[in-house]
Amino acid sequence: MKVYKFGGSSLGTAARIMNVADIIDGALRHEKLVIVVSAIQRVTDLLLESASKAGSGDSGYRAILDEIEQMHFGIAGELFSGNGHEEVAASIRAELDELGDVIHGIYLLRELSDRSLALVSGFGERLSARLVSAFLSSKGLASSFVDARELIVTDANYADARVVSHATESRIAARLGSLQGVPVVTGFIASAPDGTSTTLGRGGSDYTASLLGAALGAAEIWIWTDVDGFFSADPKRVRDARILPFISYAEAMELSHAGAKVLHPLAVQPALKASIPLLIKNSFNPEAPGTRIAEPGGADRLVQHPVTGLTSINKIVLLNMSGSGMVGVPGIASRLFSCLARHRINIIFISQASSEQSITLAISPAQSTKAKKIMEEEFCREIASRQVDSIALRKNLALIAVVGNNMSGHPGVSAQLFETLGKNGINVVAVAQGANEMNISLVVDSHDEDKSLNCIHESFFLSQGKVHLFIAGTGNIARSLLRQIAAHRQNLRRENDLDVIVSGMANTRRMVIDDRGIDLDNWEEAMQERTGPAGIMGYIQLMKERNLHNTIFVDCTASSDVSEMYPALLCDNISVVTANKLGMAGPWPLYRQIRDAQRKSNARFLYETNVGAGLPIISTLNDLRNSGDKIISIEGVFSGTLSFIFNELRKGGSFSDIVRKAKDAGYTEPDPRDDLSGADFARKMLILGRELGFTLEYGDIECESLVPEDCRGEMPVAAFLEKLQSVDGRYAAEIETAAAEGMTIAYAGSICDGKASIGVKRVPLSSPIAGLNGSENIVVFTTERYRVTPLVVRGPGAGGEVTAGGVFADILRIASYLV
């Protein structure tokens, strides 16, 4: 014999009840059944709402009762015809008339007691059981309606009663042991010793089924719901959650008590005591294997994850009692828990410091005010004498439970858990772990609940980590970056167990955000005109609202407004990758803010492309310094445009013609004066100087502009290029003079002893700088270790592809840290 329990979602329409009947019919060919049913979906909520309105004198309760009546008569009309419909309609009418009388009495008295509420809330199960039982009979399956108030005996705590086990087992065995046909039993409801109605708490129909199964010695108890089983996490919050084919009784109890809504927390206990397996099945997908709950066997542990599942309670309140007068004083905890127990305050979570100076409790928001008042009354003398501080109450919190039998004796689980949370900037407010090491419970801000669940689940269950990119800017660098991500994404998944997801893109006019990832082949079509808060602040605010785990902000703009947001992003523990120099080469206060925010947060900030595009200049410099080498000087060419101009100049030709050639080839900005001024070069030198620890502003860089003084005002580009011919002779003479000395000229920069300068310099023909080709960049590190033969980094130093490659490399460096 098996016990089948069907939840309200499985009974929500006539078609669903027909489906349930088919499931029962198929099972009856192999075994006897006892059926337990919940109220039809939404009915319990409607009953509670009608009772509440009646208790407050609101005649609107009648409209709710009408809705309940229409719902049940509507389903009956679809299920039955002829005499069968009349009989069912009569039984439904009798139940509804009694309900109407009870609610009307509450309305007249303007009083809604727990006793009345328990009676009202049980009518849903009474109505659904009559419908199901009658429909089974109409299909030729002998069935009878059984009111669980005749079977289950409880105490007189009406809203959340405790079962009197011996009396309940005796009644169940006497009534159902010899009953012929299929009994359809009302879930959720029971009765006190005096016969008044009580309830087993919301979701208590699971508990009813377990009590019946244990008393009757059932082979199995099947809980039919609308999901395929227990998931490793709530699939509504964690998209990668997976079905758990098996969990132990202990794990099921831990997960249920900590918020998993698949099973009532108390439902496991009777089954565990009687060693009866529980199965979670989906009535909408009966062929799915579901989840088996039992004692672990050899075949039940195919995957040895230390963590079995995660769950959460998304609204809790913390009450904290602390004070020096608690230290070493016997009986404090006893008084605290006793006073709360007397008033039936349900404690979800307990944490106590080893110093005995504080005790923290988590309870539901509905009981928080009452609990605080009770604690203050109990300890009023200690509070008055300042031995105990005022009771602190903290709202808007969530409890997350990490559960697993295999966590016991498994080193590193806690370290992995808290490291994952820390890297994602999630603050843990309180922690509790039992000595059996099976459950680590932690409290976080409600805002971080989904983020916490996702990053923990990914850390323990997925071989493949995820990072979520939010990109600012859609210019050449961003476009090249997207192409590179699209081309390499599958390879990263396969070889690095890393999934790079572009979740947001924005420019000044348009934007697209998709938590699941933007289609990189059609991202331009996906972008929509921006609405809501404008500017970079609006985009960042939307990104923060998503609160995705492993988020990286990628700046592909040249905007000072964006760079000014770096400190705030880092303080929010959002890692940043930037190709924008205006942060690290910005005003000294901004630079310090970025550095300070970086030190205080768990986020990463990488900006390799600020100096050498795709060349590893900053990382090389930091490696040298971190390994203890002393930097004597840095020299180099950090402008692809100016490198090209001077490399061509050494081959022959006039300066002005080469500038024209560079502009036509796309090496310069639309106005070549932007490059010839050396401003971009100076910013790179400023960044390197700051990397070396020097306090430098942009104005401290000695920068020789290649723009003649009479060309620096307002002047069309064409006129400037014409006038530039006036300096051709100067550069020709410089080349000739340098050559006579066995040297050549280059536009280069150097940093030594805290001073940085940029300009046209003579360099020996043997210098690496003299050997540059095209638009190559070069940096020469002279250090204590590399004094005789300096360390040289050389290669393409400009262009969308190489810069995007450098940005991508920085993203992967942060990803390897995060996942």
Side-chain angles (χ1 to χ4, degrees):
M1 186 269 287
K2 293 180 181 175
V3 177
Y4 276 16
K5 176 264 173 177
F6 292 94
S9 58
S10 299
L11 307 168
T13 65
R16 293 181 183 181
I17 292 177
M18 293 176 189
N19 177 58
V20 164
D22 289 340
I23 292 172
I24 294 169
D25 189 12
L28 284 172
R29 299 170 191 173
H30 309 288
E31 61 236 343
K32 291 183 178 180
L33 295 180
V34 172
I35 308 302
V36 177
V37 295
S38 298
I40 289 171
Q41 196 170 31
R42 289 185 57 243
V43 169
T44 302
D45 288 335
L46 291 172
L47 288 167
L48 295 175
E49 185 182 356
S50 68
S52 177
K53 285 182 178 293
S56 61
D58 185 347
S59 61
Y61 77 86
R62 296 189 182 92
I64 299 173
L65 293 181
D66 289 342
E67 183 179 353
I68 294 172
E69 178 178 325
Q70 291 168 11
M71 185 184 300
H72 287 87
F73 278 119
I75 290 173
E78 294 183 54
L79 292 176
F80 304 97
S81 59
N83 291 334
H85 181 265
E86 292 178 4
E87 293 177 8
V88 172
S91 66
I92 292 174
R93 172 52 60 196
E95 297 283 0
L96 290 172
D97 286 346
E98 181 183 347
L99 171 63
D101 290 343
V102 172
I103 296 286
H104 186 60
I106 293 170
Y107 175 72
L108 292 175
L109 294 173
R110 301 292 196 275
E111 180 181 342
L112 179 58
S113 65
D114 287 347
R115 179 174 175 174
S116 299
L117 194 61
L119 176 60
V120 171
S121 60
F123 274 93
E125 280 71 18
R126 292 161 62 176
L127 289 164
S128 65
R130 290 197 180 279
L131 281 172
V132 172
S133 175
F135 186 66
L136 290 175
S137 297
S138 73
K139 288 176 63 67
L141 304 173
S143 177
S144 56
F145 165 84
V146 179
D147 191 328
R149 293 178 295 176
E150 302 170 10
L151 307 177
I152 300 175
V153 183
T154 70
D155 62 15
N157 182 42
Y158 299 100
D160 190 12
R162 293 294 175 263
V163 174
V164 180
S165 299
H166 181 71
T168 296
E169 290 169 1
S170 299
R171 287 194 183 188
I172 292 171
R175 176 72 193 274
L176 299 183
S178 59
L179 195 66
Q180 298 299 309
V182 181
V184 178
V185 185
T186 57
F188 178 55
I189 58 176
S191 63
D194 63 359
T196 53
S197 294
T198 61
T199 65
L200 304 179
R202 290 301 295 265
S205 297
D206 296 343
Y207 191 19
T208 304
S210 190
L211 290 168
L212 297 183
L216 297 171
E220 292 177 335
I221 301 165
W222 289 31
I223 307 296
W224 291 88
T225 181
D226 56 359
V227 294
D228 284 342
F230 254 106
F231 281 78
S232 54
D234 184 348
K236 294 178 181 177
R237 288 190 154 91
V238 180
R239 285 197 298 271
D240 297 313
R242 56 185 63 177
I243 292 290
L244 300 171
F246 171 84
I247 57 176
S248 69
Y249 290 123
E251 288 170 330
M253 283 192 288
E254 293 282 357
L255 290 168
S256 298
H257 276 285
K261 296 180 174 62
V262 179
L263 190 66
H264 189 278
L266 297 178
V268 179
Q269 294 174 353
L272 168 62
K273 187 176 179 180
S275 297
I276 301 172
L278 288 149
L279 275 81
I280 309 298
K281 297 281 286 182
N282 188 348
S283 62
F284 302 107
N285 184 21
E287 302 305 316
T291 299
R292 178 182 173 84
I293 303 170
E295 286 297 340
D300 292 323
R301 286 294 188 188
L302 299 178
V303 180
Q304 292 292 327
H305 287 298
V307 173
T308 298
L310 317 174
T311 188
S312 64
I313 302 174
N314 61 357
K315 288 184 180 179
I316 66 163
V317 171
L318 279 190
L319 288 171
N320 186 67
M321 188 174 83
S322 62
S324 59
M326 296 170 57
V327 178
V329 179
I332 291 288
S334 174
R335 287 174 58 194
L336 171 61
F337 297 123
S338 295
C339 76
L340 293 174
R342 285 196 302 271
H343 292 86
R344 304 195 70 84
I345 301 297
N346 182 40
I347 301 173
I348 303 169
F349 167 103
I350 304 169
S351 178
Q352 182 173 14
S354 60
S355 66
E356 304 181 50
Q357 191 166 333
S358 70
I359 301 175
T360 301
L361 311 173
I363 60 175
S364 70
Q367 293 187 306
S368 62
T369 303
K370 179 180 178 182
K372 184 174 184 288
K373 183 179 179 182
I374 292 166
M375 292 168 65
E376 288 172 339
E377 290 174 352
E378 176 68 27
F379 293 94
C380 60
R381 285 179 295 179
E382 288 86 350
I383 293 172
S385 62
R386 298 188 179 181
Q387 292 177 293
V388 172
D389 300 332
S390 297
I391 306 300
L393 186 148
R394 183 168 176 178
K395 300 180 179 180
N396 301 317
L397 299 171
L399 174 72
I400 294 175
V402 182
V403 175
N405 275 336
N406 290 336
M407 287 164 54
S408 177
H410 195 292
V413 173
S414 294
Q416 183 176 344
L417 170 62
F418 292 108
E419 181 184 23
T420 298
L421 295 171
K423 286 179 178 179
N424 280 276
I426 296 166
N427 181 47
V428 177
V429 178
V431 183
Q433 180 176 11
N436 64 3
E437 301 181 61
M438 189 179 156
N439 181 337
I440 302 175
S441 294
L442 49 98
V443 178
V444 300
D445 288 331
S446 294
H447 176 65
D448 287 327
E449 180 184 3
D450 286 3
K451 185 178 182 180
S452 301
L453 288 169
N454 277 275
C455 67
I456 296 170
H457 188 272
E458 184 175 293
S459 178
F460 284 101
F461 288 93
L462 303 183
S463 60
Q464 190 176 93
K466 296 179 179 179
V467 292
H468 300 271
L469 307 186
F470 286 81
I471 300 174
T474 56
N476 289 335
I477 296 173
R479 291 171 183 271
S480 297
L481 175 62
L482 292 175
R483 285 194 296 269
Q484 292 176 19
I485 292 172
H488 199 49
R489 189 177 181 190
Q490 291 301 327
N491 188 55
L492 287 171
R493 287 172 172 169
R494 183 173 56 254
E495 297 186 8
N496 297 70
D497 294 325
L498 176 66
D499 192 9
V500 178
I501 302 168
V502 179
S503 298
M505 291 201 66
N507 56 32
T508 54
R509 295 181 296 104
R510 304 172 70 208
M511 178 173 61
V512 58
I513 292 180
D514 189 334
D515 296 354
R516 297 167 297 179
I518 299 164
D519 181 358
L520 299 185
D521 293 327
N522 300 290
W523 63 270
E524 289 187 88
E525 291 80 359
M527 293 188 74
Q528 303 292 323
E529 291 295 326
R530 297 183 62 166
T531 57
I536 188 63
M537 276 295 296
Y539 179 49
I540 289 175
Q541 184 59 39
L542 291 171
M543 176 183 69
K544 289 181 180 179
E545 288 173 3
R546 263 59 182 179
N547 204 28
L548 300 178
H549 68 294
N550 296 343
T551 292
I552 303 175
F553 180 80
V554 183
D555 184 4
C556 293
T557 72
S559 166
S560 59
D561 290 341
V562 179
S563 65
E564 288 170 2
M565 297 306 301
Y566 298 163
L569 289 166
L570 294 169
C571 287
D572 286 326
N573 283 284
I574 297 172
S575 294
V576 176
V577 171
T578 178
N580 182 356
K581 303 177 191 66
L582 299 182
M584 298 308 284
W588 180 257
L590 174 60
Y591 175 82
R592 291 308 316 161
Q593 288 172 18
I594 294 171
R595 286 301 192 201
D596 290 343
Q598 186 181 5
R599 279 194 298 271
K600 293 175 183 177
S601 77
N602 291 320
R604 290 292 187 266
F605 179 72
L606 296 181
Y607 49 97
E608 184 68 74
T609 57
N610 279 194
V611 175
L615 297 181
I617 295 175
I618 293 175
S619 57
T620 300
L621 173 57
N622 288 330
D623 287 344
L624 291 170
R625 297 184 69 217
N626 292 337
S627 64
D629 203 354
K630 180 180 179 182
I631 311 297
I632 297 172
S633 67
I634 300 175
E635 300 174 280
V637 176
F638 303 111
S639 167
T641 302
L642 296 172
S643 178
F644 173 82
I645 290 171
F646 278 82
N647 291 339
E648 290 295 308
L649 195 60
R650 286 193 288 271
K651 297 176 184 178
S654 67
F655 183 80
S656 60
D657 286 343
I658 294 170
V659 172
R660 288 178 184 273
K661 180 180 177 181
K663 180 180 182 302
D664 293 341
Y667 288 134
T668 74
E669 296 294 331
D671 188 338
R673 285 173 289 186
D674 294 339
D675 300 283
L676 297 177
S677 69
D680 187 63
F681 200 142
R683 291 191 188 97
K684 296 176 181 180
M685 295 298 292
L686 175 59
I687 293 171
L688 288 177
R690 287 174 171 177
E691 288 296 307
L692 291 174
F694 301 123
T695 303
L696 296 174
E697 288 282 14
Y698 180 80
D700 297 325
I701 309 299
E702 296 178 10
C703 180
E704 177 185 354
S705 174
L706 302 184
V707 181
E709 286 194 23
D710 58 353
C711 297
R712 294 177 187 175
E714 292 293 332
M715 179 183 295
V717 173
F720 160 69
L721 291 173
E722 285 293 329
K723 200 164 187 178
L724 192 60
Q725 296 176 21
S726 62
V727 299
D728 288 346
R730 170 195 161 192
Y731 288 105
E734 287 280 357
I735 289 282
E736 185 178 344
T737 302
E741 299 175 2
M743 305 181 80
T744 186
I745 64 171
Y747 190 82
S750 64
I751 301 175
C752 185
D753 296 329
K755 294 183 179 181
S757 63
I758 307 167
V760 179
K761 301 183 180 183
R762 292 185 183 182
V763 295
L765 293 174
S766 58
S767 167
I769 294 175
L772 291 176
N773 293 306
S775 60
E776 288 181 329
N777 277 11
I778 191 170
V779 60
V780 181
F781 295 101
T782 302
T783 73
E784 289 287 359
R785 295 174 190 160
Y786 295 92
R787 185 187 290 271
V788 177
T789 304
L791 176 63
V792 175
V793 179
R794 173 179 170 177
E801 286 296 324
V802 294
T803 303
V807 170
F808 197 6
D810 277 350
I811 290 169
L812 296 180
R813 289 187 188 98
I814 292 179
S816 67
Y817 158 75
L818 290 173
V819 304

